Amino acid sequence: MTEAIRPEHTGTILVVEGNVPFGELIAGVLRSEGYRCETVVSGGCALTSLGSGSIALMVLDYTMPDMSVEDFVATMTTTGSRVPFIIMTGRDDSLLAVRMMKIGAGDFLIKDTTLLDRLPLAVSKTLQEAETARRLQRAMEALQQSEARLARVHRIARIGSWEWNITSNGFVFSNELYHLLGFDPAHHPPITLEWLYSRINPIDQPAIRKAFADAVAECRPLDVVYRIRTASDEELIVNSQGELIADDNGRPCRMIGSTLDITARIRAEEEIRNLSNYDHLTGLPNRNLLQDRLHQAIIHASRTQSVAGVLFLDLDRFKGINDSLGHRAGDLLLRQVAERLSACVRESDTLARLGGDEFVVVLTMVTGEEGISAAASKLLGVIAEPFIVEGHELYITASIGISVYPADGPDALTLMKHADLAMYRAKELDRNNFQFYSSDLNVRVMERMILESALRRALERQEFKLYYQPQVDVLSRSIVGFEALLRWYHPDLGLISPDKFVPLAEESGLIIAIGEWVLQTACRQTKAWHDAGLPPVRMAVNLSTRQFRPNLDQSIAAILLETGLEPCFLELEMTESILMRNVSENMALLRALTDMGCHLAIDDFGTGYSSLAYLKNFPLGRLKIDRSFVRDITSNPDDLAIAKIIIDMARTLRMQVTAEGVEAYEQLELLAGHGCAEMQGFLFSRPLPADKAQQLLRNGLTF
Ligand SMILES: Nc1nc2c(ncn2[C@@H]2O[C@H](COP(=O)(O)O[C@H]3[C@@H](O)[C@H](n4cnc5c(=O)[nH]c(N)nc54)O[C@@H]3COP(=O)(O)O)[C@@H](O)[C@H]2O)c(=O)[nH]1
């Protein structure tokens, strides 16, 4: 309710009266009521006064000297002024009164003897009505603004509202809903439920029809998601929610609701689902989705009494490619591998990438082991074809482990574990082959685990020993060096060969600590022989790939300092493959070692990667001819040719050369005849414990 207006709180009352004394009389009456009052004599003067903005109400004489009331009001309105006014006239004319009220007069007063009594009330009533009208106007404007804001919010949120008349089936859409669907609200024919259905994706239609019908029949709210075609034939995914409104008899007569465009949200959810289910590099299903597919395959096989195969495929020596050609090339290769494998499997099968170079194929509807073997052979076949990556022709192979449902496990986890074990078996068996899981694989894995845990304790229990095998100058028949060779005496298992435990130590990382112990022991022993006045021999120590870490030079320097051995007596043996990894880092490391005074030798030369560029670029001092070339050198001309090439190459590059695995005098003669003077092998001595090696060094060789 509007509060009563107090006269002293209003603006000025303007009396427009050509008869000045009468005008003053009126003003006097109003002033006595507490109003501020001014008088003017014409319409023109009144319009000027209105410009001040302080006029709250006008009391207008109908007969103004310069203009009609109608013209006055029209002019006032065009200037934007909306000041309320009361008309006074000498004519008691009801038609005139109606006309005046129509053009906006707040009251119509006859100039009779009661005028002065009635005037204050008419003024206060008109002021009150004007104030109410003003407040109403402000409220209307606020409402319009809020509606506009809401409409804007709806547009931004892509939400529209609607009302459905259940009896007539007609719909009323909000403008936002029209806009959302791309239609022009001004020119759209009336909307019906059937029209709405016709725009819904046919696949969703039956469910939506049923949802609307059920909501009405069961008097419950509507909440549906469906795809709808816009005016430009774009498909939106929307969520419509509606509430029923009942008539006086409690029967549903209308439904009001909202429709929200959730296309972006659904697409984002799809994207997230994709990311969590697919491998980003190859686009293949990832481990997540594989679990699910494998589970489905198991259910299917169990229902149809058939078998399912799980093929765990791992690329052989992929790391070498990554290390030598870089990760970009590695990624490109993996993509090509994924494409080739995809082409080999049927739609009902699943090919997934677990990460790195590991892929898994789940075969369904296969005819037992023969079918699975055929698929595995095909997979190995496509991998064996050359790949072209960044201009390089690459040849790779893969190892596959296979488990079969139901024979090898009842669930996805067991089948995957068993396929993985079988894959390791395939790797052990020279790679590039496939192996089916067999239960004795578990036994081997257990053995391996036992060995690994024993290996972890071997250092602290002092179960390692170093043996020393002499390296001989056959011309002077003297020992010029020793190679330190590691032995492990396990209290229960006895002597374990380094071939068996060094790879395990490498995989588990234990080789770092063991390798440091080897270096320390070998250097200390050599220094002890020197100090004992024995011939000053050098000591060769094998380094494994894992020991090649940035601080290797520092730890070797510390060992040399601690043991007091001069660096020139230490020779570090490494395989070719070590040099091929992280070439620039290794170069810096090898330079640091040679700058320190240590010597570097390539072990098993000729068996690894065949890039010879490193021979020129790395600071290498010695090549060791692998014993596989020496073994048949007297009978196999190819081995002899290879040995000769290595000897010539070493001479040309001003490097030393040592032949390994010399067991027979004929081998010695042949190698010496071709210029190789340094040798190592059982012919001279087997690897010996320190005291025996010392004896040999003191007493000299007898061969
Ligand atoms: N990273 C490290 N690797 C090491 C260490 N100690 C040894 N090893 C490597 O283990 C592999 C097997 O070594 P081992 O059983 O000691 O065999 C060595 C010799 O006994 C053997 N040899 C020597 N002469 C002959 C021979 O005339 N005939 C023949 N059949 N075998 C012979 O060769 C092995 C030495 O080879 P190499 O190292 O290539 O010079 C072996 O790969 C070792 O390198 C270690 O401390 N760290």
Side-chain angles (χ1 to χ4, degrees):
M1 200 166 123
T2 317
E3 251 180 69
I5 292 181
R6 311 250 307 266
E8 61 273 27
H9 290 160
T10 66
T12 306
I13 311 288
L14 185 65
V15 179
V16 187
E17 172 59 64
N19 180 336
V20 176
F22 186 60
E24 281 304 324
L25 181 64
I26 289 173
V29 170
L30 292 174
R31 282 189 194 109
S32 68
E33 292 289 330
Y35 294 106
R36 259 169 297 154
C37 219
E38 281 176 18
T39 56
V40 290
V41 291
S42 65
C45 294
L47 287 171
T48 310
S49 295
L50 283 175
S52 70
S54 62
I55 309 299
L57 181 137
M58 288 178 293
V59 181
L60 292 179
D61 181 25
Y62 178 70
T63 325
M64 285 187 281
D66 52 350
M67 62 181 80
S68 71
V69 167
E70 282 90 345
D71 287 346
F72 176 82
V73 171
T75 313
M76 176 176 78
T77 311
T78 54
T79 60
S81 190
R82 288 188 163 269
V83 177
F85 58 92
I86 294 169
I87 299 292
M88 300 180 297
T89 176
R91 285 163 53 189
D92 184 3
D93 180 343
S94 58
L95 285 177
L96 176 66
V98 170
R99 246 179 49 223
M100 289 302 104
M101 299 308 249
K102 271 191 177 166
I103 63 168
D107 212 339
F108 184 83
L109 300 175
I110 309 290
K111 286 183 178 172
D112 59 12
T113 50
T114 62
L115 171 72
L116 297 180
D117 294 334
R118 285 184 286 121
L119 185 62
L121 189 63
V123 166
S124 104
K125 184 192 82 153
T126 306
L127 279 171
Q128 191 75 56
E129 282 172 0
E131 177 60 18
T132 306
R134 236 188 331 268
R135 288 191 181 180
L136 189 64
Q137 176 68 23
R138 275 205 298 271
M140 290 289 284
E141 279 169 8
L143 182 66
Q144 275 167 6
Q145 277 171 9
S146 130
E147 276 175 354
R149 262 199 307 274
L150 189 64
R152 215 166 40 239
V153 168
H154 278 189
R155 256 198 318 279
I156 293 167
R158 300 194 55 77
I159 188 168
S161 57
W162 45 264
E163 185 172 330
W164 171 40
N165 184 323
I166 297 170
T167 323
S168 70
N169 246 355
F171 264 88
V172 178
F173 276 12
S174 70
N175 282 353
E176 288 70 39
L177 188 51
Y178 276 110
H179 292 312
L180 190 72
L181 297 175
F183 293 103
D184 178 358
H187 301 103
H188 200 275
I191 289 176
T192 62
L193 188 59
E194 278 311 314
W195 177 89
L196 183 69
Y197 288 153
S198 73
R199 303 212 64 88
I200 293 177
N201 186 311
I203 297 171
D204 300 341
Q205 268 185 34
I208 301 305
R209 280 178 189 275
K210 183 169 180 317
F212 269 92
D214 287 354
V216 176
E218 293 161 24
C219 277
R220 57 181 166 81
L222 176 87
D223 189 347
V224 281
V225 172
Y226 53 95
R227 288 162 293 174
I228 188 163
R229 213 160 26 88
T230 66
S232 57
D233 265 349
E234 187 195 347
E235 192 167 75
L236 298 183
I237 305 168
V238 294
N239 170 216
S240 288
Q241 296 186 353
E243 298 254 330
L244 284 169
I245 294 176
D247 62 15
D248 294 343
N249 301 318
R251 275 193 302 269
C253 60
R254 287 180 300 137
M255 180 182 271
I256 54 169
S258 63
T259 294
L260 175 66
D261 177 8
I262 54 170
T263 316
R265 196 189 82 203
I266 298 284
R267 300 266 186 273
E269 281 170 3
E270 275 170 12
E271 178 82 15
I272 289 166
R273 240 192 330 275
N274 266 352
L275 286 174
S276 57
N277 280 329
Y278 290 90
D279 167 47
H280 71 280
L281 179 70
T282 59
L284 294 178
N286 63 10
R287 189 185 290 272
N288 236 358
L289 189 53
L290 171 71
Q291 300 288 353
D292 193 49
R293 297 271 179 90
L294 182 51
H295 188 62
Q296 298 303 327
I298 290 170
I299 292 173
H300 178 263
S302 127
R303 211 176 30 232
T304 55
Q305 302 278 298
S306 58
V307 296
V310 179
L311 282 66
F312 202 118
L313 183 151
D314 188 287
L315 300 181
D316 299 329
R317 301 193 178 89
F318 173 73
K319 195 173 175 310
I321 288 169
N322 239 356
D323 288 347
S324 52
L325 298 180
H327 284 271
R328 218 177 90 89
D331 284 354
L332 292 174
L333 176 64
L334 287 172
R335 278 205 193 121
Q336 289 191 32
V337 168
E339 277 167 26
R340 284 195 197 173
L341 296 178
S342 301
C344 281
V345 297
R346 289 176 305 188
E347 237 174 64
S348 53
D349 302 330
T350 295
L351 167 66
R353 178 175 173 241
L354 296 190
D357 57 353
E358 291 177 342
F359 295 84
V360 170
V361 180
V362 178
L363 299 176
T364 51
M365 298 187 282
V366 274
T367 52
E369 289 203 358
E370 310 83 72
I372 297 174
S373 299
S377 300
K378 200 166 153 194
L379 295 173
L380 290 179
V382 295
I383 299 282
E385 293 292 314
F387 289 89
I388 307 291
V389 175
E390 292 186 328
H392 301 273
E393 192 174 56
L394 300 178
Y395 288 85
I396 56 165
T397 54
S399 302
I400 300 178
I402 303 170
S403 63
V404 181
Y405 174 84
D408 297 334
D411 53 46
L413 203 68
T414 316
L415 290 168
M416 285 285 287
K417 199 175 82 189
H418 288 168
D420 192 12
L421 284 178
M423 190 275 293
Y424 275 103
R425 179 74 188 132
K427 289 258 182 223
E428 277 170 17
L429 294 175
D430 248 8
R431 303 160 198 256
N432 194 22
N433 72 109
F434 61 86
Q435 292 295 317
F436 279 89
Y437 169 77
S438 70
S439 50
D440 72 323
L441 272 179
N442 269 337
V443 176
R444 264 207 298 275
V445 170
M446 282 303 288
E447 275 174 10
R448 201 183 141 100
M449 281 168 62
I450 290 168
L451 202 63
E452 192 175 316
S453 82
L455 191 57
R456 284 185 192 283
R457 293 191 301 267
L459 252 188
E460 63 195 59
R461 292 185 181 179
Q462 301 183 350
E463 291 169 5
F464 290 120
K465 252 196 164 41
L466 275 193
Y467 271 46
Y468 301 93
Q469 186 176 38
Q471 295 175 330
V472 181
D473 174 29
V474 292
L475 301 179
S476 63
R477 295 179 171 245
S478 58
I479 297 174
V480 288
F482 281 96
E483 179 178 357
L485 293 161
L486 186 59
R487 299 289 178 263
W488 178 17
Y489 286 95
H490 187 279
D492 304 321
L493 305 171
L495 178 69
I496 302 174
S497 149
D499 278 333
K500 222 172 177 187
F501 72 81
V502 167
L504 198 59
E506 283 177 341
E507 272 170 41
S508 58
L510 289 168
I511 195 70
I512 309 284
I514 297 173
E516 200 156 303
W517 178 86
V518 170
L519 274 161
Q520 247 161 7
T521 311
C523 289
R524 193 172 299 120
Q525 184 60 73
T526 318
K527 175 72 171 131
W529 287 335
H530 290 185
D531 290 349
L534 292 164
V537 287
R538 63 168 188 265
M539 180 60 70
V541 175
N542 289 284
L543 286 184
S544 84
T545 321
R546 289 291 289 267
Q547 287 174 271
F548 256 74
R549 299 191 307 165
N551 61 356
L552 177 69
D553 53 336
Q554 289 160 29
S555 56
I556 290 180
I559 288 169
L560 289 168
L561 195 69
E562 185 204 319
T563 57
L565 182 69
E566 281 181 51
C568 63
F569 290 109
L570 178 62
E571 187 165 80
L572 300 161
E573 289 192 11
M574 61 207 74
T575 57
E576 291 164 272
S577 58
I578 291 183
L579 300 178
M580 297 303 292
R581 296 167 54 245
N582 308 330
V583 174
S584 57
E585 277 170 41
N586 281 347
M587 179 73 85
L589 196 54
L590 296 181
R591 285 227 177 279
L593 289 168
T594 49
D595 287 351
M596 215 189 279
C598 299
H599 298 288
L600 305 178
I602 297 292
D603 204 4
D604 308 337
F605 187 73
T607 58
Y609 281 94
S610 45
S611 167
L612 299 180
Y614 66 79
L615 287 185
K616 196 172 62 142
N617 298 327
F618 286 109
L620 306 166
R622 180 182 306 278
L623 297 182
K624 291 187 79 179
I625 305 173
D626 188 61
R627 64 173 186 271
S628 61
F629 303 121
V630 175
R631 192 179 53 222
D632 301 324
I633 197 166
T634 52
S635 56
N636 185 336
D638 290 346
D639 286 345
L640 178 60
I642 290 170
K644 273 163 61 183
I645 290 170
I646 297 173
I647 296 165
D648 288 345
M649 196 156 50
R651 188 182 303 121
T652 313
L653 294 169
R654 288 181 296 282
M655 293 169 76
Q656 306 295 316
V657 64
T658 301
E660 295 183 278
V662 179
E663 294 185 3
Y665 208 79
E666 296 75 43
Q667 292 167 337
L668 180 153
E669 279 187 328
L670 207 51
L671 285 160
H674 285 97
C676 175
E678 257 189 47
M679 299 180 200
Q680 181 181 344
F682 294 169
L683 176 66
F684 315 102
S685 167
R686 287 185 175 260
L688 301 168
D691 53 341
K692 295 273 174 2
Q694 182 170 328
Q695 252 175 12
L696 199 65
L697 190 56
R698 194 182 299 281
N699 301 336
L701 290 160
T702 52
F703 63 92

